[in-house]
Amino acid sequence: MDSISCSASRITPRFRCFDPTNTYPATANHRRYYSTLPLSGSRSPRAANTNMGDSTTITEPKIVTGDCGYVLEDVPHLSDYIHDLPTHTNPLQDNPAYSVVKQYFVNVDDTVAQKIVVQKDSPRGTHFRRAGPRQKVYFESDEVHACIVTCGGLCPGLNTVIREIVCGLYHMYGVTRVLGIEGGYKGFYARNTVPLTPRVVNDIHKRGGTILGTSRGGNDTSKIVDSIQDRGINQVYIIGGDGTQKGASVIFEEIKRRGLKVAVAGIPKTIDNDIPVIDKSFGFDTAVEEAQRAIAAAHVESESVENGIGLVKLMGRHSGFIAMYATLASRDVDCCLIPESPFYLEGAGGLLEYIEKRLKENGHMVIVVAEGAGQEFLSENIRTIDKQDASGNKQLQDIGFWISQKIKDHFSKQKKMAMNLKYIGQLLKTLHDPTYMIRAIPSNASDNVYCTLLAHSAIHGAMAGYTGFTVGPVNGRHAYIPFHRITQKQNKVVITDRMWARCLSSTNQPSFFSPQQLLEKKTQVEVEENHIDH
């Protein structure tokens, strides 16, 4: 799509966003694109043997354009494939809790900008539909039969999201039929369900984990949609990471193919904060806070002995956000290693040389390493590096144990100084490992509030007839985001950004980059940013 440059005129541009209840024609400055590619295979109401990784239909992005380079990446709506759907008055207007709200409902033209730092002549850029209650809804309260499923690994806040979906549906919209699907996606056809009421979920936010259970791996999409159809479910709330959201997208496509009036809403979950577009994922604040305990313990251990080294392994398979933010928050860390920033051990400017220097200066040090850092070193020695778990994630080797052994070997060979190393993060995966301690705890106050906002945004979207979307804050405003935007890549620490520079400034560690490597990284980031803009 060509960029549309905007003049420096102070005249306010006029534009309209897509209103699912309006059938206005396209205009020169307002174009709507939404189509489905030709289907392959059976056209029967029930498709056979459709796996989570496959899709019989592929919905193209739904784009609305306006003046001055305005682009809205809209989300699907039930009225896109089911015509003449009746609408109903939103019951929130009679809800006592909302009686003091100045504006009950979100304006149909409200959108949220993905990029907020611009120049005066910049195009307005990509926007997403703002989340919130609409004046008209496409479901009556007694018509709704909702279900909730949690998939993937554990994360602080899962139970809070479950609770707030149930209580939000019940108290805001008068919905009384909500099912919990046990055991992840396979629970749709292989496990029992549990009725969820405000009374059942009242105290679950105080517990870690998920009361519904979870599992990893792709399952039979056709069987899942068969179960949804047979049970009469018409709202599906799916809580999980990028793999789960990919599965949710396929489920939506199959529901759309069958022409079912079923809204599919995703709530993105990843403790690593590696989901793109949104500001952050729930559980991340709790993870950073809990990581302080491990770092504090390592600091006490290291400064209590001669030349003590405290080594802490934290979560971060592909993204080092937890390690970076925990390092910044702690101020006790002397070196932070993340997957995005390569490092080397031997030679001038290497990690081992820096450790020696730090011990001579301070007499102790703390090293934080994300679990996905330095995996290229281990792949040279371990043949199992290509093994994957049920979700398709590469099984990582224990980088913390490997680094601790390398440090011990180095100092035993040098024989220049005594060294005492404590590794907080055991070789075996037990609850003594901080990466597992963090996953299993209840969410903190900040995440509890955030989970409530996510749950309510998903409810408002589903009741308004939107489907095939996920929710999350974009520049501080909650929005509805198409599934494909959060599954096409992972959010990673940009090591040419100021936040990583702040982290390096806090630890005083070297960047472990040669000037040539740094130039290559900057060029790579610029190419990626230009690709996003266009």
Side-chain angles (χ1 to χ4, degrees):
M1 181 180 299
D2 296 332
S3 297
I4 304 173
S5 61
C6 179
S7 68
S9 170
R10 297 183 62 84
I11 298 175
T12 303
R14 294 183 298 173
F15 61 91
R16 292 185 295 168
C17 298
F18 171 63
D19 178 357
T21 64
N22 196 334
T23 58
Y24 48 74
T27 64
N29 289 321
H30 182 91
R31 299 183 298 278
R32 184 153 57 105
Y33 305 95
Y34 185 53
S35 62
T36 302
L37 298 181
L39 301 179
S40 61
S42 172
R43 297 280 300 192
S44 62
R46 292 181 185 267
N49 299 324
T50 306
N51 295 322
M52 293 297 278
D54 301 324
S55 176
T56 54
T57 62
I58 302 174
T59 301
E60 292 183 340
K62 185 176 176 181
I63 305 297
V64 180
T65 61
D67 296 333
C68 295
Y70 173 89
V71 177
L72 168 63
E73 289 201 29
D74 209 352
V75 295
H77 194 273
L78 293 174
S79 62
D80 293 333
Y81 64 91
I82 304 176
H83 302 296
D84 301 321
L85 281 174
T87 60
H88 314 280
T89 301
N90 194 323
L92 274 180
Q93 69 180 25
D94 300 319
N95 190 312
Y98 277 72
S99 62
V100 296
V101 178
K102 183 178 180 181
Q103 182 180 346
Y104 288 137
F105 306 117
V106 172
N107 189 291
V108 68
D109 281 337
D110 282 358
T111 57
V112 179
Q114 182 179 12
K115 190 175 181 179
I116 58 174
V117 178
V118 296
Q119 289 75 44
K120 64 179 181 179
D121 293 329
S122 299
R124 296 187 59 192
T126 300
H127 293 65
F128 300 104
R129 188 167 291 281
R130 184 183 175 189
R134 265 56 181 177
Q135 192 165 6
K136 296 292 184 181
V137 296
Y138 282 74
F139 294 93
E140 292 190 278
S141 300
D142 56 2
E143 172 194 359
V144 175
H145 189 194
C147 74
I148 305 170
V149 62
T150 55
C151 305
L154 295 181
C155 176
L158 281 169
N159 279 334
T160 306
V161 176
I162 295 169
R163 182 189 188 278
E164 295 309 316
I165 292 174
V166 174
C167 293
L169 283 169
Y170 187 91
H171 295 302
M172 291 191 297
Y173 288 98
V175 174
T176 58
R177 294 188 298 163
V178 184
L179 280 180
I181 306 296
E182 294 185 321
Y185 276 137
K186 65 180 66 175
F188 276 101
Y189 55 86
R191 295 286 295 273
N192 294 328
T193 60
V194 53
L196 298 176
T197 64
R199 189 168 188 172
V200 170
V201 301
N202 185 53
D203 293 324
I204 65 172
H205 62 292
K206 300 174 183 177
R207 290 183 258 163
T210 165
I211 63 165
L212 299 178
T214 185
S215 65
R216 295 183 182 273
N219 296 285
D220 193 309
T221 306
S222 182
K223 286 185 178 180
I224 291 174
V225 180
D226 286 348
S227 176
I228 291 170
Q229 195 170 355
D230 292 341
R231 295 176 188 273
I233 292 169
N234 51 22
Q235 289 187 9
V236 183
Y237 296 93
I238 299 173
I239 311 168
D242 56 350
T244 300
Q245 300 304 314
K246 288 177 183 176
S249 178
V250 178
I251 291 171
F252 156 70
E253 296 286 0
E254 176 62 13
I255 286 172
K256 178 176 177 290
R257 193 192 69 81
R258 298 189 190 187
L260 304 178
K261 186 187 176 183
V262 179
V264 180
I267 295 92
K269 174 231 64 172
T270 166
I271 199 170
D272 292 347
N273 197 40
D274 59 2
I275 289 182
V277 182
I278 64 174
D279 296 345
K280 66 177 178 179
S281 52
F282 75 83
F284 175 69
D285 282 353
T286 304
V288 172
E289 185 176 299
E290 188 67 15
Q292 303 303 297
R293 299 176 184 270
I295 293 174
H299 185 248
V300 170
E301 288 280 0
S302 66
E303 68 176 358
S304 298
V305 295
E306 181 184 7
N307 294 326
I309 299 175
L311 178 61
V312 182
K313 183 183 71 175
L314 297 176
M315 298 192 76
R317 176 177 290 273
H318 302 290
S319 303
F321 287 103
I322 292 178
M324 180 177 70
Y325 275 83
T327 294
L328 278 167
S330 169
R331 300 292 174 177
D332 288 330
V333 179
D334 300 285
C335 186
C336 177
L337 304 175
I338 61 174
E340 296 89 339
S341 183
F343 65 93
Y344 56 97
L345 296 177
E346 310 284 350
L351 177 62
L352 296 175
E353 182 184 85
Y354 173 65
I355 291 173
E356 285 189 25
K357 175 175 176 290
R358 202 66 173 169
L359 290 179
K360 288 176 182 178
E361 292 173 348
N362 289 354
H364 67 276
M365 76 177 297
V366 175
I367 303 172
V368 168
V369 56
E371 60 180 333
Q375 290 295 311
E376 65 275 10
F377 297 123
L378 283 76
S379 63
E380 298 173 0
N381 305 312
I382 302 175
R383 295 181 180 178
T384 58
I385 195 66
D386 291 329
K387 287 188 175 181
Q388 296 181 335
D389 62 19
S391 296
N393 298 315
K394 185 171 68 174
Q395 290 185 353
L396 302 179
Q397 305 305 314
D398 194 334
I399 183 63
F401 180 77
W402 183 84
I403 288 180
S404 67
Q405 290 299 118
K406 289 294 183 180
I407 294 173
K408 290 176 181 177
D409 292 345
H410 173 77
F411 279 90
S412 64
K413 290 177 183 178
Q414 294 289 333
K415 296 181 180 179
K416 293 181 180 178
M417 64 174 74
M419 185 274 302
N420 292 281
L421 187 145
K422 301 295 183 183
Y423 173 35
I424 301 181
Q426 304 299 316
L427 174 62
L428 297 177
K429 297 293 187 182
T430 69
L431 285 180
H432 297 292
D433 188 331
T435 61
Y436 279 69
M437 292 170 61
I438 290 171
R439 296 186 346 156
I441 62 173
S443 52
N444 64 10
S446 173
D447 272 323
N448 273 336
V449 174
Y450 182 31
C451 289
T452 301
L453 298 177
L454 288 171
H456 286 189
S457 293
I459 293 169
H460 294 317
M463 291 298 294
Y466 294 109
T467 182
F469 69 89
T470 192
V471 297
V474 179
N475 296 316
R477 293 287 186 176
H478 283 248
Y480 299 136
I481 305 161
F483 279 134
H484 73 90
R485 283 302 306 271
I486 65 162
T487 59
Q488 61 188 193
K489 70 170 190 175
Q490 289 178 315
N491 188 32
K492 295 188 177 184
V493 173
V494 180
I495 60 174
T496 57
D497 191 47
R498 289 191 185 91
M499 189 57 75
W500 180 240
R502 293 185 185 107
C503 184
L504 297 182
S505 176
S506 169
T507 61
N508 291 313
Q509 72 187 67
S511 67
F512 302 114
F513 266 111
S514 67
Q516 179 62 30
Q517 287 176 315
L518 192 59
L519 180 62
E520 290 174 358
K521 276 289 180 183
K522 287 183 177 179
T523 303
Q524 180 184 349
V525 169
E526 289 174 359
V527 170
E528 291 176 353
E529 288 179 348
N530 289 333
H531 177 71
I532 292 172
D533 290 341
H534 297 291

